Amino acid sequence: MTAGRRRFITFEGGEGAGKSTQVDRLAARLRARGQEVVTTREPGGSPTAEKFRNIVLSGQAKQFGAFAETTLFAAARLDHLRETIEPALRRGAWVICDRFMDSTRAYQGALGKIKPGVMRALEFVTVGDTVPGLTLLLDLPPEDGLKRAAKRGMGRRADRFESEDIDYHRSLRRAFLDIAAEEPKRIHTIDAQKSPDEVAQAVWDDVAKTFALEKSRV
């Protein structure tokens, strides 16, 4: 592993980008190499944080505005880090997370118009120096992502964010790409319009290069 690179990988992107699928596939590939891998998600990832997840995704917090949602996410993230992520990293496990701080930057920061200073202060308190070693942004047009999300959720009510209009999701995509442009060393963008197999291979190639893994071992 490259010196200084934390074994903490996050996946970001809009609705239906395939994050959960690629989290599972990357985890399986690392486990096949004999590695301990913890997969997790946000909001959620610990018992207390999962309670916050239900509140946010059900839309109960929307009426109180973006700042209220942001503070709920921060509280959930603090517990998630303490209970799940940090213990795993300390024992040398890989941690792969479906969404993390960049989602808060995009959804509540850029789209919710929470001031950057407020976002930085909350990140300082919650994340501290536990910044991902690599973030993979799965990018695709929101029209395609929402179709995938609708198909995946057949019979299930759309959550707080899936139910927003197409202009919201177009703005969300731009926000993620802007965030990636600001931190190109940590955030790498992958074309999620390709097949799941092609995306999985692109993910693996990026992880192997970033963490200096031996490609001969699968």
Side-chain angles (χ1 to χ4, degrees):
M1 182 176 68
T2 303
R5 283 280 187 176
R6 184 176 280 108
R7 292 184 171 189
F8 180 18
I9 300 172
T10 57
F11 281 82
E12 298 285 2
E15 309 302 325
K19 297 179 295 299
S20 298
T21 296
Q22 296 305 328
V23 165
D24 291 342
R25 294 185 71 158
L26 175 58
R29 199 153 187 177
L30 286 168
R31 287 171 180 143
R33 297 165 62 93
Q35 300 294 313
E36 180 190 357
V37 182
V38 173
T39 60
T40 187
R41 67 179 183 177
E42 286 208 351
S46 64
T48 298
E50 287 292 329
K51 295 177 182 177
F52 283 103
R53 177 185 181 88
N54 293 332
I55 293 171
V56 173
L57 296 189
S58 68
Q60 295 178 56
K62 182 178 180 180
Q63 62 181 314
F64 301 110
F67 182 72
E69 286 188 332
T70 304
T71 55
L72 284 172
F73 277 116
R77 182 165 298 132
L78 186 61
D79 189 75
H80 184 204
L81 281 159
R82 288 177 175 174
E83 298 299 320
T84 303
I85 295 173
E86 291 174 349
L89 292 174
R90 282 196 296 269
R91 65 176 182 266
W94 292 78
V95 176
I96 307 175
C97 190
D98 182 344
R99 296 197 184 282
F100 194 59
M101 64 187 193
D102 298 298
S103 278
T104 307
R105 290 177 177 181
Y107 284 86
Q108 283 72 43
L111 274 66
K113 309 216 181 285
I114 301 299
K115 293 181 180 179
V118 174
M119 299 299 293
R120 286 194 295 270
L122 286 171
E123 277 188 18
F124 178 79
V125 171
T126 56
V127 178
D129 64 355
T130 313
V131 176
L134 174 65
T135 296
L136 297 166
L137 172 60
L138 302 185
D139 176 60
L140 81 168
E143 294 83 356
D144 295 342
L146 290 173
K147 287 179 183 177
R148 290 184 186 178
K151 185 176 181 181
R152 176 193 66 202
M154 290 291 287
R156 175 181 62 81
R157 182 180 178 183
D159 70 27
R160 151 79 176 88
F161 301 105
E162 291 171 346
S163 60
E164 295 285 355
D165 65 25
I166 189 63
D167 287 338
Y168 177 95
H169 290 283
R170 288 170 180 154
S171 297
L172 178 67
R173 184 190 189 190
R174 288 194 295 272
F176 271 122
L177 291 172
D178 287 345
I179 291 167
E182 291 172 1
E183 293 191 55
K185 290 185 178 180
R186 174 176 67 87
I187 307 174
H188 301 172
T189 303
I190 290 177
D191 182 0
Q193 288 183 277
K194 297 180 179 180
S195 71
D197 286 345
E198 290 174 310
V199 174
Q201 188 58 51
V203 165
W204 178 251
D205 290 343
D206 203 325
V207 169
K209 180 179 180 180
T210 299
F211 293 94
L213 301 178
E214 298 177 21
K215 289 189 177 183
S216 59
R217 293 181 59 200
V218 178

